[in-house]
Amino acid sequence: MGTKKDITSRGDIEQLVAAFYEQVKKDDTIGFIFTDVAKINWDHHIPLIVNFWESILLDNPVYTKNAMEVHYVLNKKMPLQKAHFAKWVLLFCTAVDDLFEGKIAALAKTRAKSIAALMQFKMADANK
């Protein structure tokens, strides 16, 4: 078995994001949030998320939106719970591990966990 490569390009991030969301769509815990509650337009959403991850993993500032804002709106429609964030992290980290290994891959998992923890905290605070 060959060694996996690290995340080094936008193409790698596109591959990761596509694999991750294929799992999200099928997931019983969070899939419905994306498909039924948020009603994600995948053709629009995927490039934005690729931009987001490219900005934080490859230091290329192509993401210019406020990631928290859209989640606050979603949280008003359906309060996001600890289990939702835990499943999101699990699926994201599994997608990273399935495809990549190395310094940036490890950073991707660390950032995902930090982002989920921060969002979970802020969404819980917003629900008070």
Short mmCIF file of all heavy atoms in Angstrom, two decimals, residues 43-92:
data_model
loop_
_atom_site.label_atom_id
_atom_site.label_comp_id
_atom_site.label_asym_id
_atom_site.label_seq_id
_atom_site.Cartn_x
_atom_site.Cartn_y
_atom_site.Cartn_z
N ASP A 43 -24.04 23.08 -6.03
CA ASP A 43 -23.20 23.72 -7.05
C ASP A 43 -22.69 25.08 -6.58
O ASP A 43 -21.61 25.51 -6.97
CB ASP A 43 -23.96 23.88 -8.37
CG ASP A 43 -24.24 22.55 -9.04
OD1 ASP A 43 -23.50 21.58 -8.78
OD2 ASP A 43 -25.22 22.47 -9.81
N HIS A 44 -23.46 25.75 -5.75
CA HIS A 44 -23.06 27.04 -5.18
C HIS A 44 -22.22 26.84 -3.92
O HIS A 44 -21.23 27.54 -3.71
CB HIS A 44 -24.31 27.87 -4.86
CG HIS A 44 -24.02 29.17 -4.20
ND1 HIS A 44 -23.49 30.25 -4.87
CD2 HIS A 44 -24.16 29.57 -2.90
CE1 HIS A 44 -23.31 31.25 -4.02
NE2 HIS A 44 -23.71 30.86 -2.83
N HIS A 45 -22.62 25.89 -3.09
CA HIS A 45 -22.00 25.69 -1.78
C HIS A 45 -20.58 25.13 -1.86
O HIS A 45 -19.67 25.62 -1.16
CB HIS A 45 -22.89 24.74 -0.96
CG HIS A 45 -22.45 24.55 0.45
ND1 HIS A 45 -22.50 25.56 1.39
CD2 HIS A 45 -21.96 23.46 1.10
CE1 HIS A 45 -22.06 25.10 2.55
NE2 HIS A 45 -21.74 23.83 2.40
N ILE A 46 -20.38 24.13 -2.69
CA ILE A 46 -19.07 23.45 -2.74
C ILE A 46 -17.92 24.41 -3.04
O ILE A 46 -16.93 24.42 -2.30
CB ILE A 46 -19.10 22.27 -3.73
CG1 ILE A 46 -20.10 21.19 -3.27
CG2 ILE A 46 -17.71 21.68 -3.95
CD1 ILE A 46 -19.70 20.38 -2.06
N PRO A 47 -18.00 25.25 -4.06
CA PRO A 47 -16.88 26.18 -4.30
C PRO A 47 -16.63 27.14 -3.13
O PRO A 47 -15.47 27.47 -2.85
CB PRO A 47 -17.30 26.95 -5.55
CG PRO A 47 -18.28 26.06 -6.24
CD PRO A 47 -19.00 25.33 -5.13
N LEU A 48 -17.68 27.56 -2.44
CA LEU A 48 -17.50 28.43 -1.27
C LEU A 48 -16.73 27.71 -0.17
O LEU A 48 -15.84 28.28 0.47
CB LEU A 48 -18.85 28.89 -0.72
CG LEU A 48 -19.64 29.88 -1.55
CD1 LEU A 48 -21.00 30.15 -0.90
CD2 LEU A 48 -18.88 31.17 -1.72
N ILE A 49 -17.09 26.46 0.06
CA ILE A 49 -16.42 25.68 1.11
C ILE A 49 -14.98 25.37 0.71
O ILE A 49 -14.08 25.39 1.55
CB ILE A 49 -17.22 24.40 1.42
CG1 ILE A 49 -18.61 24.76 1.92
CG2 ILE A 49 -16.49 23.53 2.43
CD1 ILE A 49 -18.65 25.71 3.10
N VAL A 50 -14.76 25.11 -0.55
CA VAL A 50 -13.38 24.91 -1.03
C VAL A 50 -12.58 26.19 -0.78
O VAL A 50 -11.45 26.14 -0.29
CB VAL A 50 -13.36 24.48 -2.51
CG1 VAL A 50 -11.94 24.51 -3.07
CG2 VAL A 50 -13.96 23.08 -2.67
N ASN A 51 -13.18 27.34 -1.10
CA ASN A 51 -12.50 28.62 -0.82
C ASN A 51 -12.19 28.76 0.66
O ASN A 51 -11.09 29.20 1.03
CB ASN A 51 -13.36 29.81 -1.26
CG ASN A 51 -13.39 30.01 -2.75
OD1 ASN A 51 -12.61 29.41 -3.50
ND2 ASN A 51 -14.30 30.84 -3.21
N PHE A 52 -13.15 28.41 1.52
CA PHE A 52 -12.96 28.50 2.96
C PHE A 52 -11.74 27.68 3.38
O PHE A 52 -10.84 28.18 4.06
CB PHE A 52 -14.22 28.03 3.69
CG PHE A 52 -14.07 27.98 5.18
CD1 PHE A 52 -14.19 29.13 5.93
CD2 PHE A 52 -13.79 26.78 5.83
CE1 PHE A 52 -14.05 29.10 7.32
CE2 PHE A 52 -13.65 26.74 7.21
CZ PHE A 52 -13.78 27.90 7.95
N TRP A 53 -11.72 26.42 3.00
CA TRP A 53 -10.62 25.54 3.41
C TRP A 53 -9.30 25.92 2.76
O TRP A 53 -8.24 25.80 3.37
CB TRP A 53 -10.98 24.08 3.17
CG TRP A 53 -11.96 23.61 4.19
CD1 TRP A 53 -13.30 23.40 4.02
CD2 TRP A 53 -11.70 23.35 5.57
NE1 TRP A 53 -13.89 23.03 5.22
CE2 TRP A 53 -12.92 22.98 6.18
CE3 TRP A 53 -10.55 23.40 6.36
CZ2 TRP A 53 -13.01 22.66 7.54
CZ3 TRP A 53 -10.64 23.07 7.70
CH2 TRP A 53 -11.86 22.71 8.28
N GLU A 54 -9.35 26.40 1.52
CA GLU A 54 -8.11 26.85 0.87
C GLU A 54 -7.53 28.04 1.64
O GLU A 54 -6.31 28.14 1.82
CB GLU A 54 -8.38 27.24 -0.58
CG GLU A 54 -7.12 27.64 -1.32
CD GLU A 54 -7.33 27.95 -2.78
OE1 GLU A 54 -8.45 27.75 -3.31
OE2 GLU A 54 -6.36 28.40 -3.43
N SER A 55 -8.40 28.91 2.12
CA SER A 55 -7.93 30.08 2.88
C SER A 55 -7.24 29.65 4.17
O SER A 55 -6.19 30.20 4.52
CB SER A 55 -9.10 31.01 3.21
OG SER A 55 -9.60 31.60 2.03
N ILE A 56 -7.82 28.70 4.88
CA ILE A 56 -7.25 28.37 6.19
C ILE A 56 -6.18 27.28 6.15
O ILE A 56 -5.38 27.20 7.08
CB ILE A 56 -8.33 28.04 7.23
CG1 ILE A 56 -9.13 26.81 6.87
CG2 ILE A 56 -9.24 29.21 7.47
CD1 ILE A 56 -10.09 26.38 7.95
N LEU A 57 -6.13 26.50 5.08
CA LEU A 57 -5.10 25.47 5.01
C LEU A 57 -3.90 25.85 4.16
O LEU A 57 -2.77 25.45 4.45
CB LEU A 57 -5.70 24.16 4.47
CG LEU A 57 -6.76 23.51 5.34
CD1 LEU A 57 -7.30 22.26 4.66
CD2 LEU A 57 -6.22 23.20 6.73
N LEU A 58 -4.14 26.62 3.10
CA LEU A 58 -3.06 26.96 2.18
C LEU A 58 -2.71 28.45 2.22
O LEU A 58 -1.94 28.93 1.39
CB LEU A 58 -3.43 26.55 0.75
CG LEU A 58 -3.75 25.06 0.56
CD1 LEU A 58 -4.12 24.78 -0.90
CD2 LEU A 58 -2.60 24.17 1.01
N ASP A 59 -3.28 29.17 3.18
CA ASP A 59 -3.01 30.60 3.35
C ASP A 59 -3.23 31.41 2.08
O ASP A 59 -2.48 32.34 1.78
CB ASP A 59 -1.59 30.83 3.89
CG ASP A 59 -1.43 30.33 5.31
OD1 ASP A 59 -2.39 30.46 6.10
OD2 ASP A 59 -0.35 29.79 5.62
N ASN A 60 -4.26 31.03 1.33
CA ASN A 60 -4.63 31.77 0.13
C ASN A 60 -5.99 32.41 0.42
O ASN A 60 -7.00 31.73 0.43
CB ASN A 60 -4.72 30.83 -1.07
CG ASN A 60 -5.01 31.58 -2.35
OD1 ASN A 60 -4.92 32.80 -2.40
ND2 ASN A 60 -5.35 30.85 -3.39
N PRO A 61 -6.03 33.73 0.65
CA PRO A 61 -7.25 34.39 1.13
C PRO A 61 -8.35 34.53 0.08
O PRO A 61 -8.75 35.62 -0.30
CB PRO A 61 -6.74 35.75 1.59
CG PRO A 61 -5.56 36.01 0.72
CD PRO A 61 -4.92 34.67 0.47
N VAL A 62 -8.90 33.40 -0.37
CA VAL A 62 -9.95 33.43 -1.39
C VAL A 62 -11.35 33.40 -0.79
O VAL A 62 -12.33 33.64 -1.49
CB VAL A 62 -9.79 32.26 -2.40
CG1 VAL A 62 -8.55 32.46 -3.25
CG2 VAL A 62 -9.75 30.91 -1.70
N TYR A 63 -11.46 33.14 0.51
CA TYR A 63 -12.77 33.14 1.18
C TYR A 63 -12.97 34.50 1.84
O TYR A 63 -12.17 34.92 2.67
CB TYR A 63 -12.85 32.03 2.23
CG TYR A 63 -14.22 31.91 2.86
CD1 TYR A 63 -15.25 31.26 2.19
CD2 TYR A 63 -14.48 32.46 4.11
CE1 TYR A 63 -16.51 31.16 2.77
CE2 TYR A 63 -15.74 32.36 4.68
CZ TYR A 63 -16.75 31.71 4.00
OH TYR A 63 -17.99 31.61 4.57
N THR A 64 -14.05 35.18 1.45
CA THR A 64 -14.26 36.55 1.94
C THR A 64 -15.58 36.72 2.68
O THR A 64 -15.93 37.83 3.03
CB THR A 64 -14.22 37.54 0.76
OG1 THR A 64 -15.21 37.17 -0.19
CG2 THR A 64 -12.85 37.54 0.09
N LYS A 65 -16.29 35.64 2.91
CA LYS A 65 -17.58 35.74 3.59
C LYS A 65 -17.42 35.52 5.09
O LYS A 65 -16.36 35.19 5.57
CB LYS A 65 -18.54 34.70 3.00
CG LYS A 65 -18.81 34.93 1.52
CD LYS A 65 -19.94 34.07 1.04
CE LYS A 65 -20.25 34.33 -0.40
NZ LYS A 65 -20.85 35.61 -0.66
N ASN A 66 -18.52 35.69 5.83
CA ASN A 66 -18.55 35.44 7.26
C ASN A 66 -19.19 34.06 7.48
O ASN A 66 -20.40 33.90 7.35
CB ASN A 66 -19.37 36.52 7.96
CG ASN A 66 -19.46 36.32 9.45
OD1 ASN A 66 -19.20 35.24 9.97
ND2 ASN A 66 -19.84 37.37 10.16
N ALA A 67 -18.35 33.08 7.82
CA ALA A 67 -18.84 31.71 7.97
C ALA A 67 -19.84 31.58 9.11
O ALA A 67 -20.76 30.76 9.05
CB ALA A 67 -17.67 30.76 8.18
N MET A 68 -19.68 32.38 10.14
CA MET A 68 -20.59 32.27 11.29
C MET A 68 -22.00 32.74 10.95
O MET A 68 -22.98 32.16 11.41
CB MET A 68 -20.05 33.07 12.48
CG MET A 68 -18.83 32.48 13.13
SD MET A 68 -19.04 30.78 13.72
CE MET A 68 -20.26 31.02 14.99
N GLU A 69 -22.10 33.76 10.15
CA GLU A 69 -23.40 34.37 9.85
C GLU A 69 -24.41 33.37 9.30
O GLU A 69 -25.54 33.28 9.77
CB GLU A 69 -23.19 35.52 8.86
CG GLU A 69 -24.42 36.33 8.59
CD GLU A 69 -24.13 37.51 7.67
OE1 GLU A 69 -23.09 38.16 7.83
OE2 GLU A 69 -24.95 37.74 6.78
N VAL A 70 -24.01 32.59 8.33
CA VAL A 70 -24.92 31.63 7.71
C VAL A 70 -25.32 30.54 8.72
O VAL A 70 -26.46 30.05 8.69
CB VAL A 70 -24.30 31.02 6.43
CG1 VAL A 70 -23.11 30.14 6.73
CG2 VAL A 70 -25.35 30.25 5.65
N HIS A 71 -24.44 30.21 9.63
CA HIS A 71 -24.76 29.21 10.64
C HIS A 71 -25.71 29.75 11.72
O HIS A 71 -26.52 28.99 12.24
CB HIS A 71 -23.47 28.63 11.24
CG HIS A 71 -22.71 27.83 10.24
ND1 HIS A 71 -21.76 28.40 9.42
CD2 HIS A 71 -22.79 26.53 9.89
CE1 HIS A 71 -21.28 27.46 8.62
NE2 HIS A 71 -21.89 26.32 8.88
N TYR A 72 -25.62 31.03 12.00
CA TYR A 72 -26.60 31.64 12.91
C TYR A 72 -28.00 31.57 12.31
O TYR A 72 -28.97 31.26 13.00
CB TYR A 72 -26.26 33.11 13.21
CG TYR A 72 -25.20 33.30 14.27
CD1 TYR A 72 -24.06 34.06 14.01
CD2 TYR A 72 -25.34 32.76 15.54
CE1 TYR A 72 -23.09 34.25 14.97
CE2 TYR A 72 -24.38 32.95 16.52
CZ TYR A 72 -23.26 33.69 16.23
OH TYR A 72 -22.31 33.88 17.19
N VAL A 73 -28.10 31.84 11.02
CA VAL A 73 -29.39 31.78 10.33
C VAL A 73 -29.93 30.35 10.37
O VAL A 73 -31.09 30.11 10.69
CB VAL A 73 -29.26 32.30 8.88
CG1 VAL A 73 -30.53 32.03 8.08
CG2 VAL A 73 -28.91 33.78 8.87
N LEU A 74 -29.07 29.40 10.08
CA LEU A 74 -29.45 27.99 10.12
C LEU A 74 -29.88 27.58 11.53
O LEU A 74 -30.89 26.89 11.71
CB LEU A 74 -28.29 27.11 9.64
CG LEU A 74 -28.51 25.60 9.69
CD1 LEU A 74 -29.70 25.21 8.83
CD2 LEU A 74 -27.25 24.88 9.26
N ASN A 75 -29.14 28.02 12.51
CA ASN A 75 -29.42 27.69 13.91
C ASN A 75 -30.79 28.22 14.36
O ASN A 75 -31.43 27.63 15.23
CB ASN A 75 -28.31 28.23 14.81
CG ASN A 75 -28.38 27.71 16.21
OD1 ASN A 75 -28.35 26.50 16.44
ND2 ASN A 75 -28.46 28.61 17.17
N LYS A 76 -31.23 29.33 13.75
CA LYS A 76 -32.57 29.85 14.06
C LYS A 76 -33.65 28.95 13.48
O LYS A 76 -34.72 28.80 14.07
CB LYS A 76 -32.72 31.27 13.54
CG LYS A 76 -31.98 32.30 14.37
CD LYS A 76 -32.17 33.70 13.83
CE LYS A 76 -31.37 34.68 14.67
NZ LYS A 76 -31.41 36.03 14.11
N LYS A 77 -33.38 28.36 12.32
CA LYS A 77 -34.35 27.44 11.71
C LYS A 77 -34.44 26.14 12.49
O LYS A 77 -35.51 25.57 12.65
CB LYS A 77 -33.94 27.11 10.26
CG LYS A 77 -34.07 28.24 9.29
CD LYS A 77 -33.67 27.76 7.90
CE LYS A 77 -33.70 28.88 6.90
NZ LYS A 77 -33.25 28.43 5.57
N MET A 78 -33.26 25.66 12.90
CA MET A 78 -33.19 24.41 13.65
C MET A 78 -31.97 24.45 14.55
O MET A 78 -30.85 24.48 14.06
CB MET A 78 -33.05 23.23 12.69
CG MET A 78 -33.31 21.90 13.36
SD MET A 78 -32.49 20.57 12.51
CE MET A 78 -31.08 20.38 13.55
N PRO A 79 -32.16 24.53 15.85
CA PRO A 79 -31.01 24.61 16.76
C PRO A 79 -30.02 23.47 16.56
O PRO A 79 -30.39 22.29 16.59
CB PRO A 79 -31.64 24.57 18.15
CG PRO A 79 -33.02 25.11 17.94
CD PRO A 79 -33.43 24.61 16.58
N LEU A 80 -28.79 23.85 16.31
CA LEU A 80 -27.73 22.87 16.10
C LEU A 80 -27.26 22.34 17.46
O LEU A 80 -27.05 23.12 18.39
CB LEU A 80 -26.57 23.51 15.32
CG LEU A 80 -26.97 24.04 13.94
CD1 LEU A 80 -25.83 24.82 13.31
CD2 LEU A 80 -27.44 22.92 13.02
N GLN A 81 -27.10 21.04 17.54
CA GLN A 81 -26.79 20.37 18.80
C GLN A 81 -25.38 19.78 18.80
O GLN A 81 -24.77 19.62 17.74
CB GLN A 81 -27.81 19.24 19.03
CG GLN A 81 -29.25 19.69 19.02
CD GLN A 81 -29.58 20.65 20.15
OE1 GLN A 81 -29.14 20.45 21.29
NE2 GLN A 81 -30.33 21.70 19.85
N LYS A 82 -24.93 19.43 19.98
CA LYS A 82 -23.61 18.82 20.16
C LYS A 82 -23.42 17.61 19.24
O LYS A 82 -22.37 17.44 18.62
CB LYS A 82 -23.42 18.42 21.62
CG LYS A 82 -22.07 17.87 21.94
CD LYS A 82 -21.93 17.57 23.42
CE LYS A 82 -20.53 17.07 23.74
NZ LYS A 82 -20.35 16.83 25.17
N ALA A 83 -24.44 16.78 19.14
CA ALA A 83 -24.35 15.58 18.29
C ALA A 83 -24.14 15.93 16.83
O ALA A 83 -23.45 15.21 16.10
CB ALA A 83 -25.61 14.73 18.45
N HIS A 84 -24.73 17.03 16.37
CA HIS A 84 -24.55 17.47 14.98
C HIS A 84 -23.09 17.85 14.72
O HIS A 84 -22.50 17.47 13.71
CB HIS A 84 -25.46 18.65 14.66
CG HIS A 84 -26.91 18.35 14.83
ND1 HIS A 84 -27.78 19.24 15.40
CD2 HIS A 84 -27.64 17.25 14.51
CE1 HIS A 84 -28.99 18.72 15.42
NE2 HIS A 84 -28.93 17.51 14.89
N PHE A 85 -22.53 18.61 15.65
CA PHE A 85 -21.13 19.04 15.49
C PHE A 85 -20.18 17.84 15.59
O PHE A 85 -19.21 17.75 14.83
CB PHE A 85 -20.77 20.11 16.52
CG PHE A 85 -21.45 21.42 16.26
CD1 PHE A 85 -22.55 21.79 17.00
CD2 PHE A 85 -20.99 22.27 15.27
CE1 PHE A 85 -23.19 23.01 16.76
CE2 PHE A 85 -21.63 23.48 15.01
CZ PHE A 85 -22.73 23.85 15.76
N ALA A 86 -20.47 16.92 16.50
CA ALA A 86 -19.62 15.74 16.67
C ALA A 86 -19.61 14.89 15.40
O ALA A 86 -18.55 14.41 14.96
CB ALA A 86 -20.10 14.91 17.86
N LYS A 87 -20.77 14.73 14.79
CA LYS A 87 -20.84 13.93 13.56
C LYS A 87 -20.14 14.65 12.41
O LYS A 87 -19.44 14.02 11.61
CB LYS A 87 -22.30 13.64 13.20
CG LYS A 87 -22.46 12.77 11.96
CD LYS A 87 -21.65 11.48 11.99
CE LYS A 87 -22.22 10.39 12.79
NZ LYS A 87 -22.95 9.35 12.12
N TRP A 88 -20.30 15.96 12.33
CA TRP A 88 -19.62 16.75 11.29
C TRP A 88 -18.11 16.56 11.41
O TRP A 88 -17.43 16.30 10.42
CB TRP A 88 -20.00 18.23 11.43
CG TRP A 88 -19.42 19.12 10.39
CD1 TRP A 88 -19.98 19.46 9.20
CD2 TRP A 88 -18.15 19.79 10.45
NE1 TRP A 88 -19.13 20.31 8.51
CE2 TRP A 88 -18.00 20.51 9.26
CE3 TRP A 88 -17.12 19.83 11.38
CZ2 TRP A 88 -16.87 21.28 8.97
CZ3 TRP A 88 -15.99 20.59 11.10
CH2 TRP A 88 -15.88 21.29 9.91
N VAL A 89 -17.58 16.66 12.63
CA VAL A 89 -16.14 16.49 12.85
C VAL A 89 -15.71 15.07 12.48
O VAL A 89 -14.69 14.88 11.80
CB VAL A 89 -15.75 16.81 14.31
CG1 VAL A 89 -14.32 16.36 14.61
CG2 VAL A 89 -15.89 18.30 14.59
N LEU A 90 -16.47 14.08 12.91
CA LEU A 90 -16.13 12.69 12.61
C LEU A 90 -16.08 12.47 11.10
O LEU A 90 -15.11 11.89 10.58
CB LEU A 90 -17.15 11.74 13.25
CG LEU A 90 -16.96 10.27 12.91
CD1 LEU A 90 -15.65 9.74 13.50
CD2 LEU A 90 -18.14 9.45 13.41
N LEU A 91 -17.08 12.91 10.38
CA LEU A 91 -17.11 12.72 8.93
C LEU A 91 -15.98 13.48 8.24
O LEU A 91 -15.36 12.97 7.30
CB LEU A 91 -18.47 13.14 8.35
CG LEU A 91 -19.66 12.27 8.75
CD1 LEU A 91 -20.94 12.86 8.19
CD2 LEU A 91 -19.48 10.84 8.31
N PHE A 92 -15.71 14.71 8.70
CA PHE A 92 -14.64 15.49 8.09
C PHE A 92 -13.28 14.83 8.32
O PHE A 92 -12.50 14.65 7.38
CB PHE A 92 -14.63 16.92 8.64
CG PHE A 92 -13.66 17.81 7.91
CD1 PHE A 92 -14.04 18.45 6.74
CD2 PHE A 92 -12.36 17.98 8.37
CE1 PHE A 92 -13.13 19.25 6.04
CE2 PHE A 92 -11.45 18.77 7.69
CZ PHE A 92 -11.85 19.40 6.51
#
